[in-house]
């Protein structure tokens, strides 16, 4: 039986502001859409936190036996400097400053994004669509909204009529803002004044002559509004109503609010059943900002190349640090916090390695089933990783008691204990055992050295030494195999 049938997962829905029992649209399947990065600079550490949170949701849902389609987009056009449809396109601006093509900017920072997330052991999403790959779908939605009278065209640009929408629907349903407070808080810039109301947002923007990234449309050569791409892509890949949609807290308004409005008109239904938002990351108690120097890139954590840190921290220690906080709480990123997490991470990995040395007995003095249930209860309570991790440290205590023979465990319980620890530590939290990876690298080095010594012995016709090396390695379970390409080995 799939685990989801016996686990009652509750998710905090940002829309209802309550924890709700999770019930997918189609039993056994989950559709999840996460707003991906605008690829005009190195991935921001705050975004890394958001993507680790959604990766952990993805992993746990899969662990429960759901078939998950996880869609996370790449914004490679249409995201202006200012969320109120003003200023330059972020990617085009970077391209202009660096005198390269916009698509070179996109490529460079998409690669950086993927490499950083791979280092931190995030799984790739099921589909990773781009805004520029879905211009046709976006134009179709605009035509539909225009036909329904909820948008208007001015000077080749098309805007969504927020006030008209709000006559029959509720603009602000997600962010809790009143329509009066939904005026984008920005300076009046060129193009802004053509809107009927300051609340309105762009569905299509006419490109001025300097704007490189442009596509033909019935209204002008231009580009889609930023909010529209997500509505287009998630409808295409997940359907008109699907299960989970999320991103960082800062996307609630205006981005997600606008997405709801567009989709509600386009499809006539509420698009999302569970809205999820990951909270902010701050650095040493303050907002991260390049301008103040209170800023760190993910790679600088791994290299230690930033004065904010006392030393480098590995990707798994960093990931563990992030998951020790609840995804809905603000997380303060500090060097001392990371040091404490690193110690905890090492303790956990050492316990995982010690599991192999535990010998079972006839009966158990530890209640493994009750402990396992507590791990599931934590995750079923809106993915509460800090509580899960507290339970894993409880398991570390058990491991130590068992090693010291101050507690006993039956064969059956030991197997369940090992599988549960491995499932939560590696599959759900997505940690790597870097200690073991380190030692296996070292072991490979030592064996390669012995293979080299054996080759020298053979070249010198010292068969006795050559055989001794081979036989003693074999006695340790390491088999050498001589072939045309040289000698290789396998560990039994
Ligand atoms: Zn989005």
């Amino acid at each position: 039986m799939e685990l989801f049938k016996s686990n009652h997962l509750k998710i905090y829905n940002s829309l209802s502001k309550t924890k709700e029992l999770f019930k997918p649209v189609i039993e056994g399947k989950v559709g999840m859409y996460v707003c991906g990065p605008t690829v005009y600079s190195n991935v921001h550490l705050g975004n890394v936190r958001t993507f680790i949170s959604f990766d952990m949701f993805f992993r746990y849902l899969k662990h429960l036996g759901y078939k998950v389609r996880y869609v996370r987009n790449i914004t490679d056009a249409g995201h202006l400097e200012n969320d109120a449809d003003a200023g330059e396109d972020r990617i085009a601006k970077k391209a202009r400053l660096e005198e390269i093509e916009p698509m070179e900017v996109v490529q460079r920072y998409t690669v950086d994004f993927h490499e950083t997330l791979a280092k931190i052991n995030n799984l790739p999403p099921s589909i990773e669509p781009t805004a520029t790959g879905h211009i046709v779908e976006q134009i179709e939605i605009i035509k539909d909204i225009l036909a329904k009278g909820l948008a208007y065209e001015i000077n080749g640009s098309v805007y969504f009529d927020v006030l008209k929408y709000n006559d029959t629907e509720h603009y602000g349903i997600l962010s809790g803002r009143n329509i009066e407070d939904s005026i984008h808080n920005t300076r009046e810039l060129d193009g802004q004044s053509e809107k009927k109301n300051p609340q309105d947002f762009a569905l299509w923007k006419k490109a001025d002559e300097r704007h490189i990234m442009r596509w033909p449309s019935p209204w002008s050569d231009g580009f889609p509004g930023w909010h529209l791409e997500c509505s287009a892509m998630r409808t295409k890949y997940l359907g008109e109503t699907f299960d989970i949609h999320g991103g960082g807290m800062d996307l609630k308004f205006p981005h997600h609010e606008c997405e709801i409005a567009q989709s509600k008109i386009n499809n006539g239904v509420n698009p999302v059943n569970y809205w999820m938002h990951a909270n902010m990351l701050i650095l040493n108690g303050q907002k991260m900002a390049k301008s103040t120097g209170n800023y760190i890139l993910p790679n600088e954590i791994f290299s230690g190349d930033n004065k904010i840190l006392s030393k480098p921290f590995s990707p798994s220690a960093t990931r563990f640090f992030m998951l020790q906080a609840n995804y809905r709480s603000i997380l303060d990123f500090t060097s001392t916090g990371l040091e404490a997490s690193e110690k905890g991470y090492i303790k956990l990995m050492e316990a995982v390695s010690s599991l192999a040395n535990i010998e079972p007995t006839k009966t158990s003095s530890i209640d493994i089933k009750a402990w396992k249930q507590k791990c599931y209860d934590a995750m079923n309570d809106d993915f509460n990783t800090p509580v899960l991790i507290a339970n894993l440290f409880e398991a570390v205590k058990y491991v130590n008691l068992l090693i010291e023979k101050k507690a006993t465990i039956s064969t059956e319980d030991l197997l369940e204990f090992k599988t549960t620890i491995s499932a939560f530590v590696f599959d759900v939290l997505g940690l790597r055992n870097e200690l073991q990876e380190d030692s296996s690298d070292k072991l490979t080095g030592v064996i390669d050295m012995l293979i080299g010594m054996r080759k020298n012995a053979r070249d010198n016709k010292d068969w006795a030494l050559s055989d001794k090396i081979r036989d003693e390695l074999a006695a340790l379970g390491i088999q050498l195999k001589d072939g045309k390409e040289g000698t290789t080995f396998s560990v039994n």
Side-chain angles (χ1 to χ4, degrees), residues 428-482:
V428 174
L429 293 180
L431 299 171
R432 282 194 181 116
N433 193 342
E434 288 167 354
L435 309 188
Q436 216 162 56
E437 285 169 14
D438 257 18
S439 59
S440 80
D441 283 354
K442 284 176 189 147
L443 179 66
T444 306
V446 171
I447 299 173
D448 284 343
M449 190 177 79
L450 287 166
I451 289 174
M453 284 168 69
R454 180 166 163 265
K455 186 175 180 298
N456 282 341
R458 282 158 68 111
D459 290 348
N460 297 329
K461 300 197 168 23
D462 185 350
W463 309 116
L465 179 60
S466 144
D467 289 350
K468 188 171 156 50
I469 292 172
R470 187 197 58 208
D471 296 345
E472 289 194 5
L473 281 173
L476 293 167
I478 298 161
Q479 305 294 335
L480 298 188
K481 206 175 154 208
D482 296 314

Side-chain angles (χ1 to χ4, degrees), residues 48-57 59 120-122 281 315-328 331 338 341 345 379 383-390 392 424-432:
V48 170
R49 185 195 181 193
T50 299
F51 298 125
I52 289 177
S53 299
F54 281 92
D55 180 63
M56 177 266 289
F57 306 157
R59 286 168 172 275
I120 211 132
N121 210 23
N122 270 22
L281 180 132
S316 273
T318 309
R319 185 178 176 100
F320 190 62
F321 170 79
M322 302 260 195
L323 292 169
Q324 276 191 298
N326 188 294
Y327 78 93
R328 288 199 287 123
L331 173 62
L338 276 163
S341 283
Y345 165 73
M379 288 304 285
F383 308 93
N384 201 333
T385 52
V387 175
L388 169 69
I389 290 170
L392 291 173
F424 281 107
V425 170
F426 301 115
D427 303 346
V428 174
L429 293 180
L431 299 171
R432 282 194 181 116

Side-chain angles (χ1 to χ4, degrees), residues 246-466:
M249 201 72 109
D250 54 330
L251 295 181
K252 260 191 194 176
F253 185 88
H255 187 55
H256 289 159
E257 203 70 74
C258 297
E259 270 191 47
I260 294 176
Q262 290 161 171
S263 294
K264 195 79 202 282
I265 295 305
N266 180 217
N267 298 323
V269 286
N270 281 320
V272 177
N273 286 340
Y274 303 86
W275 281 94
M276 297 183 76
H277 291 93
N279 212 328
M280 279 168 45
L281 180 132
I282 52 173
L283 185 59
N284 286 329
Q286 314 238 318
K287 199 170 185 265
M288 263 176 81
K290 264 188 198 161
S291 53
T292 60
N294 196 44
Y295 190 81
I296 188 165
L297 285 171
N299 275 330
E300 293 170 348
I301 303 168
F302 313 144
S303 67
D305 188 17
N306 190 308
K307 61 179 183 345
I308 287 165
L309 300 179
S310 56
K311 62 182 216 53
F313 293 92
S314 75
S316 273
T318 309
R319 185 178 176 100
F320 190 62
F321 170 79
M322 302 260 195
L323 292 169
Q324 276 191 298
N326 188 294
Y327 78 93
R328 288 199 287 123
S329 316
I330 292 176
L331 173 62
D332 191 9
F333 194 89
T334 63
S335 199
T336 44
L338 276 163
E339 279 167 36
S341 283
E342 186 184 54
K343 282 193 190 127
Y345 165 73
I346 292 172
K347 222 164 108 179
L348 186 59
M349 289 307 130
E350 284 172 349
V352 168
S353 304
S354 302
L355 279 171
N357 304 326
I358 295 174
E359 282 172 21
T361 47
K362 274 205 174 118
T363 55
S364 301
S365 63
I366 302 166
D367 190 345
I368 295 299
K369 287 205 164 44
W371 166 80
K372 180 178 170 181
Q373 191 53 50
K374 283 200 284 181
C375 293
Y376 280 98
D377 289 347
M379 288 304 285
N380 292 338
D381 181 19
D382 190 34
F383 308 93
N384 201 333
T385 52
V387 175
L388 169 69
I389 290 170
N391 285 309
L392 291 173
F393 281 124
E394 191 67 31
V396 172
K397 277 190 208 155
Y398 297 161
V399 171
N400 292 334
L401 287 174
L402 289 162
I403 296 282
E404 292 164 17
K405 304 227 182 296
K406 288 178 182 158
T408 59
I409 191 162
S410 70
T411 310
E412 194 190 327
D413 279 353
L414 180 59
L415 183 65
E416 192 162 9
F417 190 43
K418 283 182 180 173
T419 356
T420 310
I421 288 187
S422 165
F424 281 107
V425 170
F426 301 115
D427 303 346
V428 174
L429 293 180
L431 299 171
R432 282 194 181 116
N433 193 342
E434 288 167 354
L435 309 188
Q436 216 162 56
E437 285 169 14
D438 257 18
S439 59
S440 80
D441 283 354
K442 284 176 189 147
L443 179 66
T444 306
V446 171
I447 299 173
D448 284 343
M449 190 177 79
L450 287 166
I451 289 174
M453 284 168 69
R454 180 166 163 265
K455 186 175 180 298
N456 282 341
R458 282 158 68 111
D459 290 348
N460 297 329
K461 300 197 168 23
D462 185 350
W463 309 116
L465 179 60
S466 144

